[in-house]
Amino acid sequence: MKTKNLTIILVHGAWSDGSNWRHIIPLLHKEGYKVRSVQNPLTSLEDDIQKTNDLIDAQDGKVLLVGHSYGGAVISGAGNNDKVAGMVYVAAFAPDKGESLGSISAEKIEQPSGRTSIYPDSKGFLWIKYDEHHKSFCHDLNEDDVLVASLAQKPIHSKCFAGIMGDPAWKNKPTWYQVSSNDQMILPETQREMAERMKPKKIIYLEASHFSLASKPKEVAQLILEAAKSSE
C-alpha cells in the first residue's frame, strides 16, 4: 500500500506516554498513514507544545494532530504550525485564549470524582494513587492493561495545569472531538461544552472511561481516519 502524504501525530495526555497509543497506531498504519507518537516531558505546557512542534517540523508535508486529555491543550497550541491541517480531540481539554486547564476546572461547581485520586510529590509532579488508578482513569480496561497503565504512569507537573493558552489553533483549523460519557477525570459535560464551542466537523460520544484510546481503539481510530481523509 502506498504511504499517504499526510502524517498523523499522536499526542498523549497526563499520566501517559507515547506508547499508550499502541492500540491505535496499527489501525492507522494499516490504512497507509505515516504515524508518529510524541514523547512529551509533561513539565510545562510551553515545553510540551515545543516538543510537539519539533516533531511536526521533522515531517514532510501536512500533519494531523491527535490529542488525548491534557494533550488537547498541547495540540491547541502546536496546531498553529503551518504544517497542521487539522486536529482531533480525544476526551481532551480544548482551552480558549487566556484559559488554563486549572481555570476551566475551577469554573465548575461539580468536580470529576477522579480528582480525589490525584496527589503531588515533593517536586510538584502529580500522580494518580496506584490503588485508585483503575476506577478513576480506566475502569473499562482489562486487568493486565490496568496494571500496566497504573504502574507505568508518567507524572505531570502541576505547572502544566497553570499554563495559559495563547491563540488556540482550533479557532482557525478543522477539528473533530470524541466525548467519553463515563469519564471520571474530565466531566463529560465539560468535554461537550469545549467541543461545541469549537464548532467541530464532527462530535462522537462513546460509552468509555477517560482512557478511551485504549478501551475503544477501533471507534477512536475511525474518527481519526475520517479526519485524516478530510485533511489530505
Side-chain angles (χ1 to χ4, degrees), residues 102-135:
S103 70
I104 291 173
S105 300
E107 292 173 356
K108 305 297 179 182
I109 296 176
E110 180 186 0
Q111 294 295 317
S113 60
R115 173 162 296 192
T116 61
S117 299
I118 301 171
Y119 70 96
D121 64 18
S122 61
K123 295 185 177 181
F125 283 91
L126 304 176
W127 299 77
I128 297 178
K129 297 174 184 176
Y130 290 107
D131 59 350
E132 296 181 10
H133 191 280
H134 180 205
K135 71 173 185 178

Side-chain angles (χ1 to χ4, degrees), residues 13 32 58 87 149 177 190 196 198-199 204 212:
M87 296 166 293
Y177 198 106
T190 302
E196 289 182 348
M198 286 195 293
K199 297 180 172 57
I204 66 168
S212 54

Side-chain angles (χ1 to χ4, degrees), residues 24-42:
I24 301 283
I25 290 172
L27 300 175
L28 305 180
H29 185 266
K30 187 172 72 172
E31 295 298 320
Y33 288 99
K34 186 169 73 170
V35 183
R36 299 290 183 264
S37 186
V38 71
Q39 294 284 10
N40 278 331
L42 302 182

Side-chain angles (χ1 to χ4, degrees), residues 64-92:
L64 176 72
L65 292 179
V66 183
H68 170 246
S69 186
Y70 161 73
V74 177
I75 68 172
S76 294
N80 288 306
N81 191 304
D82 290 340
K83 289 186 176 182
V84 175
M87 296 166 293
V88 182
Y89 292 76
V90 179

Side-chain angles (χ1 to χ4, degrees), residues 6 82 124 219:
L6 180 77
D82 290 340
E219 294 87 344

Side-chain angles (χ1 to χ4, degrees), residues 13-15 40-45 47-48 70 101 118-127 154-163:
W15 305 290
N40 278 331
L42 302 182
T43 46
S44 73
L45 181 58
D47 290 346
D48 294 330
Y70 161 73
L101 306 197
I118 301 171
Y119 70 96
D121 64 18
S122 61
K123 295 185 177 181
F125 283 91
L126 304 176
W127 299 77
K154 182 176 181 178
I156 182 170
H157 201 279
S158 56
K159 289 191 295 186
C160 295
F161 291 92

